[in-house]
Every structure is written in C-alpha cells, then in structure tokens.
Amino acid sequence: MSSTPTIPPIPASPGPADSPAVAQPPITRRVKQRLTSRGATIAAIIIAIVWTIPTLGLLISSFRPEENIQRNGWWNVLSDFEFTLDNYADVLVSGGSQSPNLGQYFVNSLAIVIPATLIPLVIAAMAAYMFAWGKFRGKDTMFVFIFALQIIPLQMALIPLLKLFVNLQIGDFQLLPSGSYAQLWIAHTIFALPLAIFLLHNFIAEIPGEVIEAARVDGAGHATIFWRIIIPLSVPALASYGIFQFLWVWNDLLVALVFSGGTGDVAPITQRLAELTGTRGGEWHRLTAGAFVSMIVPLLVFFGLQRYFVRGLLAGGLKG
Amino acid sequence: MATIRTKKALLPIAALSVLTLALSACGGGAADDSEGGGNEPAADCAAYDTYGTFEDTEVSVYATIVDTEAELLENSWADFSECTGVEVVYEGSKEFETQIGVRSQAGNPPDIAIFPQPGLLAAEVAGGNVLPAPSEVEALVDENWSEDWKGYGTVDDVFYGAPMLANIKGYVWYDPAVFTEMGWEIPETLDEMMTLTEDIAADGTMKPWCAGFESGEATGWPGTDWVEDYVLRQAGPEVYDQWVNHEIPFNDPQIAEAFDSVGEILKSEEFVNGGIGDVRSILSTPFADAGQPVLDGTCAMHHQASFQAANWPEGTTVAEDGDVWAFMTPGVEAGSSAVTGGGEIIGAYADRPEVVAFQTFMASGEFANARVSQGSGISANLALDPSVATSDLDRQSIELLQSEDTVFRFDASDLMPGAVGANSFWSGIVEWINGTETEEVLDTIEGTWPQ
C-alpha cells in the first residue's frame, strides 16, 4: 500500500468541493487506519468469500444438467463432474410463444429501466435545487410533506394508480393503454420521487452558498445555475441515486406485475423469471441460468459506476 | 490501481457478451415465430361454424398456466382463432391468485380468467365482477359434465363457468420392475397398502415411501392431499362434504382418524424418507424432486397427483411396463373408486359476442379433445374421447373421471376458505410433520376457520 487511494477530484468541479482530498480530517484518518489493519483485511476477505458462496453455487448449478440439479446440491459437483450449456440454451433460445425466450424480456427490461431512471432523476434534481436554493412560500412545509410521502408503502397506491390509468381516457381513447411502457415509467417515477428529492436535496443544499451567490452576481438565472453549477457538482450524488433507482427498477417485480400485463410486449425479465419454473414448479433448473442472465446488467452497472456510488454515499456523511 | 485497470479492461468484454446474448436470443425468437406461421396446416373450419366469425376482435385470457403447458393451451385454440378471427391474447402468471383481485378491483380485468380453485371464483363473484355464464355455456355443461363438476362453477345457485381441465390426485407412483422383482403386489385396500409398507420396510432393501412437501410459500400442500385422500376413503363423501363446508369442525374425530392413519406412514422413521433422509426431510424436499428416489431404487412408493408424470426427468417412460407407473390409493374395501382431484373454472368479465363464443368453445368437446390430444392434460368433459390421450395414464385417468361409478371430490383445501385451505391447513401439516400431536394441530386449524 504505497499510495493511499485518495478520492480523485471531480474534473468539472471548481474550488471548495475538492477540499476532502486535500486535507483529511483526523477522524477519517483514524477510521482508515483501523480499516486497513491486517485483522480487518482478513475479516473482510472471509466475509466476502462467505457472501459469494451462494452466487458461486448458483453459477455452478446453472451449468449442471437438470437431472443432477434435482438429485443433489451443487457442492457435489466434484464427485459428479458434468457440465452443460443446456440450461442457458433453454432460457435464451428456445422457440415457442410461451417458452422462456429471455432475450425479448431482457430488451423490455432495458426499455423500462432507462427512462424509469432518467425521468425521476431529472425531476428530482430540479425539485431538489428549488427546495435548496429557491425562494417561495411554503417551501419547508412542502419539503416536509414530500419527505413524509416516503412512509407510505407503495402497495397502497397500486390499485388507485391502476384505476387512474384505466380511467384516463378521452372519449373511448385510452391515454395510457394497459400494458404499455408509459404506465411503468410513470409508476416508477412516482414511487421514486420522494426519496430522490430528499437525497439530492441534502447534497445540493451542502454546496457552498458563495458559489451560487457569485454566479448570481455574474447575472446567472436559475436555469444557468442549475445546469452549469448544480449538475456538475452533484454528479456523485446523481450517479449514486441513479444506480439505486436503476437496480431497484431492474429487480422490481411487484410494480411490473400490476402495470405491465404479462405478455412479451412489455413485461420485464423479472416477471419472466418468476414463471420460468413452469406451472407446477418442476423446471427450476432453468432459474439458475435465467438468474445469471438477468444479473449481468446490474453487475455491469455496479462495477462500471461503483466509484461514483461510493463517493456519493460518503459525500453526505463526511461533510455532515 | 491495478484492480481498477483490470475492471476497466473487463467492462467492454462483459458489455459485448451481454449484447451478443441479447441479440442471439432475439434472433432465435424471431426465426421461430416465422417458421410457426409458415408451416401451419390449414384448419378444417367446418367444426367452428357454429361460433360465427368475428374479424379483428380480441379476447384476453388470464390464467395460472405458464410455460410448456400454456403453449399446449394456445395450440388447442389455434384453429378456433383462425376460423373465427378472434385473436386470443393469452397471459399466464403464477401470481394470478393475487393479481386477478388487483386487476378486477382497478377496473382492468381480463375478458376471461381461468380460476384454478372454485374458492377463488367465489371470491371474485362476491366482488361482483364475474358475469354469470351465457346460456350456451350452461347448456353444454349440463350435457357434458356431471352434477358435481357443474357445482364447482356454481356460486349461490348461479352458474358462472365451465370447468376446463382436471387432474387426479392420490396416485401412488412406483417402479414396476422393482415390484415384480421383489414380488410385491399392488394393494387393493388401505390395509393391504399398510401391510405392503411394513413388508418393504422389513425387507430392508429400500424405504417404502419417499415424500416431499416443500413448495415455497405453499409448503405443506402435498400433505393435505394425503389427508384428503384418507378422509374421502375412510369417512366417505358425505363426511368429506361436511368437512369442506364446515358442517363438522376441523377437529372432528373422523378427520383426526385420517390424520393418524397418514401419520402411521409419514411420521414413522422406518417408512420414510427413502433416499432422502429422516421424517423432517419431508419438509425440506421440493415436491417436484421428492419422487426421484423411486427411479434410483432407494424408495418404493411416492404419493402424488397425475401431474407427477411431468415431474419425472425427461426420457422417463411412464407405462405399466416402463420406468414408473402408478396405482390409485385404494379404498377401505377393494373395488371402491373414490378420487380427489382438481381442475380449473373459466369465468368471464366481459360479455362481448366474441368472448361468449370463446367461452362456449372452451366448454365444448372440441376444445377438450384438442387439448388432451397434445398430452399432459385430462378433462372430465364427457364429450372427450379417452382414446385421444397420449399416455396410458391419461387415458386411465379420463376413464376414471368419466365413469359413473367414480366418486369424485374436488381437492378440499381448494374449496375451503383461503384462511384455512391456503394457509393454516398447510402450515398445520408442517407442524404436524415436525412432531406436533394431531389433536393440537387440528385444534389450531379449527381456530383459524373464519366465522
């Protein structure tokens, strides 16, 4: 450990935001020392191994023949050395309208998850900015109200929301026909906003007031401040919330069940996974392969963006 | 820093592989679709004239049936669809039981729902959403089904829907070669079955029974099937009906007797759980896997419904001289034929002409024959010709369902209120296998019966 891994500065951020990398407060240093001791490293490795074992089992199972999976557990793989790609072939390329065909649902999932992440992110960032730096009457009350919305379980809103979608029509023309992506985007956006606004507000409110005042003096309006200052400075927070929302929507089953309709036109991959085992649950060897196919995207997103993720999570805590 | 660099290098590779996976999957699907469309033989439409034609109409169907079996279902109405012009949009979901309530409450129900339990149909009827069956359907059901079966689609004397398919519970699966080799005879009465169990245990080559009750949140249901079979056989159909309708309490001595008789087998270390473990391993073994030891020769018998035929690994022959075969759990006396089973009821939420036509078709003999001839499915429709069945077991099951001597009773847990049938009865079985006394378990279940 010759060079301590410092958090690299954000390229677009001017001045004060860089301070944590320059001078570390004593608490951070002490925490870091404690965490880099040999005992802690060993403990971390052991925990990591233990946590990875189920995934390893899943991976091994996904390559075992159906018969072996049903007969014994994946740990027997050493005595029962036999591998096959049949499970993957079964879930990915089998024919017929009702067989797994995960590819189609995979595309649906992407079509759902990308807008359902971007839309709430944009709205929440704007709302968070106005709550943090805007001046209007009833601001605090409204913010508390939005914050309080988080305690309402989304299950309570499912039926009323679906009712609303069904009744939203002009004459006989259904604005949001059942089983359309739009229903899912709107539903996910609605359910995501309270937490998104709250988290982003906390981050955006921490931005030093001098930066914003200076911009105002130079004649910047709300739009300029938002796009040129707030957004570049909040990248870690936006990214970490974006990852949260992405993973949540990708793994969501409940909202999809209610709003998507289960046909291959709209339904996401989670919905297909839930049916993979067949009418009587006998085909569960497919689940292992199907689970891995659906895990690839969250893993990519996580590994690709994890540095933002960690920074975004730490940002609030360390500055506090 | 090294780790970060490796990750960066891996990323494009991983992304590429995802893309390839997704693309190849799409390609495969599309190719299959076009093939299916091109090679379809022209259907003989004469049989479908009675339903009329409805060009450019759509009927949405929602059910619990997914995957392979859903495909068989779709195939069986393909001709109807082609001849009448009704496009049937099928959606299968294992979350049907909860989602149907959500959808109908929100005003977004499917046109047709296929209910796996009469109790669920009754609940939806109580919600005021399911429409009474059209007269054409009722006429067909009067003609083609027994009184019992019509009753399962009837709520408060109003008839709502025709039964679709059926399954028979209470089969005991065994390996015929092993039975011949060891000189074991198929039991004719419950007592003989007990004697056979003792003989097999005494012989020591294998445990007589293997069982598995694990089924996710529904763990325990295969155990209710055991008990129901014994109640129907030992106490008779009248007591069975009283039990289902709560005219006798759940902890009635006659029910306790059935539990105890099942317990003599399932709660005995000597008799279970062949090839798997001890008594408790029943609860942790998935019901679909529990029969495997019969093929391995580590257990002699496995009690499971007719659909167990689909649970055997691919390539297993189900025949009297094949790898596995089944006999019906015998009655108290030889020759009695009481069976429990299940089936689906077709309910409608819309009465557009094309929906009525589809509903009528689903109640007809044409549908039953078209579906059963594709295998792994049976029906109690009297207009069904047993010879179209693809396996001996299906044929035998259909004949049993159609026979006038058969006393058929719907799976009790499907008829009881959800709080019992889909809840405390299942969890009660789990506790019971875990060692709780029969009396205590029955008292607990009785206590959960909605007043």
Side-chain angles (χ1 to χ4, degrees):
Chain A
M1 296 303 275
S2 54
S3 66
T4 45
T6 50
I7 302 165
I10 315 157
S13 61
D18 280 348
S19 57
V22 180
Q24 288 182 350
I27 300 177
T28 323
R29 209 178 304 136
R30 217 183 309 142
V31 168
K32 190 167 278 172
Q33 268 168 7
R34 222 172 271 167
L35 284 181
T36 45
S37 76
R38 183 162 295 168
T41 310
I42 292 171
I45 289 172
I46 290 174
I47 291 173
I49 289 173
V50 171
W51 275 54
T52 317
I53 285 176
T55 319
L56 178 75
L58 195 67
L59 182 67
I60 293 174
S61 289
S62 71
F63 288 107
R64 299 185 77 206
E66 173 187 358
E67 225 175 290
N68 293 12
I69 293 182
Q70 288 185 346
R71 243 172 233 177
N72 52 38
W74 61 270
W75 50 89
N76 291 300
V77 73
L78 290 178
S79 59
D80 216 356
F81 202 77
E82 209 178 329
F83 291 103
T84 169
L85 284 172
D86 285 357
N87 297 338
Y88 284 94
D90 195 13
V91 297
L92 285 174
V93 292
S94 56
S97 62
Q98 296 289 337
S99 7
N101 277 330
L102 278 187
Q104 196 181 347
Y105 293 87
F106 195 93
V107 174
N108 288 345
S109 263
L110 283 177
I112 292 166
V113 78
I114 294 171
T117 307
L118 291 180
I119 299 171
L121 211 55
V122 171
I123 299 177
M126 293 198 227
Y129 167 64
M130 279 320 277
F131 278 122
W133 296 104
K135 288 192 178 63
F136 54 95
R137 229 185 325 153
K139 186 174 87 165
D140 292 342
T141 325
M142 252 177 94
F143 184 67
V144 169
F145 179 72
I146 288 179
F147 178 59
L149 279 179
Q150 284 182 81
I151 61 169
I152 299 176
L154 70 89
Q155 286 87 335
M156 284 181 62
L158 291 178
I159 292 180
L161 193 57
L162 185 57
K163 230 179 223 173
L164 191 79
F165 287 154
V166 171
N167 294 332
L168 211 60
Q169 48 188 18
I170 302 170
D172 273 345
F173 178 73
Q174 189 110 23
L175 283 181
L176 295 167
S178 67
S180 68
Y181 289 133
Q183 283 200 355
L184 281 161
W185 296 336
I186 296 173
H188 279 301
T189 303
I190 292 174
F191 295 135
L193 276 180
L195 182 69
I197 293 175
F198 174 70
L199 284 180
L200 294 180
H201 169 269
N202 287 0
F203 191 90
I204 290 172
E206 295 282 324
I207 292 172
E210 295 85 356
V211 183
I212 288 159
E213 272 159 30
R216 274 212 198 107
V217 170
D218 288 346
H222 277 308
T224 319
I225 296 177
F226 179 72
W227 290 110
R228 307 278 292 271
I229 298 178
I230 304 293
I231 293 290
L233 283 180
S234 328
V235 166
L238 290 174
S240 71
Y241 183 74
I243 298 171
F244 267 133
Q245 174 69 3
F246 187 97
L247 296 181
W248 154 246
V249 176
W250 184 271
N251 291 326
D252 161 75
L253 177 61
L254 181 66
V255 176
L257 271 179
V258 176
F259 295 106
S260 79
T263 55
D265 300 339
V266 181
I269 200 166
T270 44
Q271 212 167 337
R272 194 71 212 133
L273 277 182
E275 335 271 74
L276 266 191
T277 54
T279 310
R280 298 202 174 80
E283 311 264 358
W284 64 274
H285 56 280
R286 290 168 169 180
L287 263 189
T288 53
F292 257 91
V293 172
S294 81
M295 268 163 63
I296 291 171
V297 168
L299 282 178
L300 277 183
V301 168
F302 192 80
F303 285 132
L305 298 178
Q306 66 158 342
R307 57 201 186 100
Y308 290 106
F309 193 55
V310 174
R311 209 187 300 160
L313 281 180
L314 289 180
L318 289 182
K319 278 186 183 171
Chain B
M1 292 308 272
T3 50
I4 291 173
R5 239 177 252 138
T6 13
K7 261 173 214 147
K8 271 193 186 144
L10 277 177
L11 204 62
I13 301 173
L16 199 70
S17 58
V18 172
L19 207 65
T20 334
L21 278 178
L23 286 179
S24 65
C26 293
D32 288 333
D33 286 348
S34 59
E35 268 168 36
N39 295 345
E40 235 164 67
D44 175 18
C45 285
Y48 297 93
D49 282 347
T50 47
Y51 303 109
T53 47
F54 310 88
E55 285 309 323
D56 294 327
T57 52
E58 230 180 63
V59 174
S60 59
V61 180
Y62 189 41
T64 45
I65 299 157
V66 296
D67 208 58
T68 325
E69 283 164 65
E71 229 157 275
L72 300 178
L73 203 56
E74 285 190 316
N75 293 342
S76 59
W77 60 57
D79 286 351
F80 167 82
S81 210
E82 199 174 310
C83 295
T84 57
V86 178
E87 196 195 334
V88 183
V89 181
Y90 178 76
E91 181 190 339
S93 169
K94 295 214 278 183
E95 276 77 18
F96 174 91
E97 280 94 337
T98 48
Q99 289 306 314
I100 189 68
V102 170
R103 290 200 189 175
S104 67
Q105 268 186 56
N108 188 30
D111 296 326
I112 299 273
I114 304 175
F115 295 94
Q117 298 154 355
L120 198 59
L121 171 74
E124 277 297 291
V125 167
N129 299 307
V130 180
L131 303 172
S135 53
E136 297 94 312
V137 173
E138 185 157 11
L140 271 173
V141 171
D142 284 335
E143 194 185 318
N144 290 342
W145 264 276
S146 69
E147 272 301 296
D148 286 341
W149 277 96
K150 190 186 176 193
Y152 299 128
T154 306
V155 182
D156 294 333
D157 296 330
V158 182
F159 179 67
Y160 286 93
M164 191 173 79
L165 298 175
N167 55 63
I168 293 192
K169 305 209 169 185
Y171 272 119
V172 175
W173 297 82
Y174 68 99
D175 183 341
V178 170
F179 267 54
T180 320
E181 188 190 323
M182 308 295 283
W184 296 327
E185 298 276 331
I186 304 302
E188 301 267 318
T189 66
L190 279 180
D191 286 339
E192 280 182 38
M193 192 162 91
M194 201 61 210
T195 318
L196 174 67
T197 303
E198 282 157 8
D199 288 349
I200 297 176
D203 185 79
T205 349
M206 60 184 82
K207 290 261 185 82
W209 293 92
C210 46
F213 292 177
E214 197 271 325
S215 175
E217 60 211 69
T219 298
W221 70 257
T224 65
D225 285 3
W226 273 90
V227 173
E228 286 155 13
D229 276 332
Y230 272 72
V231 172
L232 183 61
R233 285 164 177 79
Q234 289 179 335
E238 287 78 25
V239 174
Y240 190 90
D241 291 340
Q242 290 167 353
W243 179 48
V244 168
N245 298 321
H246 208 221
E247 284 154 18
I248 56 168
F250 204 102
N251 49 7
D252 187 271
Q254 297 170 95
I255 309 302
E257 190 199 335
F259 263 83
D260 287 335
S261 308
V262 176
E264 275 177 44
I265 293 174
L266 288 182
K267 293 175 86 165
S268 152
E269 291 292 349
E270 285 166 61
F271 298 157
V272 292
N273 193 2
I276 301 171
D278 58 2
V279 168
R280 278 165 198 240
S281 70
I282 291 176
L283 298 176
S284 56
T285 308
F287 75 94
D289 297 352
Q292 303 295 323
V294 171
L295 299 177
D296 294 347
T298 48
C299 117
M301 294 180 281
H302 177 63
H303 177 272
Q304 187 55 277
S306 52
F307 57 68
Q308 170 68 20
N311 284 347
W312 300 114
E314 257 169 64
T316 311
T317 10
V318 178
E320 213 160 346
D321 52 358
D323 299 323
V324 276
W325 188 238
F327 61 85
M328 179 53 65
T329 306
V332 175
E333 281 163 29
S336 64
S337 56
V339 294
T340 56
E344 300 97 355
I345 318 280
I346 301 169
Y349 287 88
D351 57 1
R352 301 193 308 274
E354 64 270 19
V355 177
V356 172
F358 180 72
Q359 226 181 332
T360 316
F361 165 69
M362 292 300 280
S364 71
E366 278 109 53
F367 165 74
N369 283 303
R371 174 64 189 83
V372 170
S373 60
Q374 299 180 66
S376 82
I378 54 173
S379 172
N381 193 326
L382 296 174
L384 168 65
D385 177 6
S387 66
V388 303
T390 54
S391 77
D392 293 344
L393 187 84
D394 284 357
R395 194 168 306 123
Q396 185 183 308
S397 303
I398 294 167
E399 279 162 3
L400 199 60
L401 279 174
Q402 290 180 338
S403 156
E404 279 177 20
D405 300 331
T406 304
V407 178
F408 179 87
R409 283 295 179 273
F410 213 92
D411 185 291
S413 56
D414 285 348
L415 295 174
M416 290 174 178
V420 179
N423 199 340
S424 62
F425 196 178
W426 293 346
S427 55
I429 290 279
V430 172
E431 277 174 48
W432 182 69
I433 292 288
N434 261 332
T436 315
E437 289 303 316
T438 304
E439 202 184 325
E440 200 185 326
V441 169
L442 292 189
D443 290 348
T444 313
I445 301 176
E446 170 62 20
T448 62
W449 200 290
Q451 295 304 312

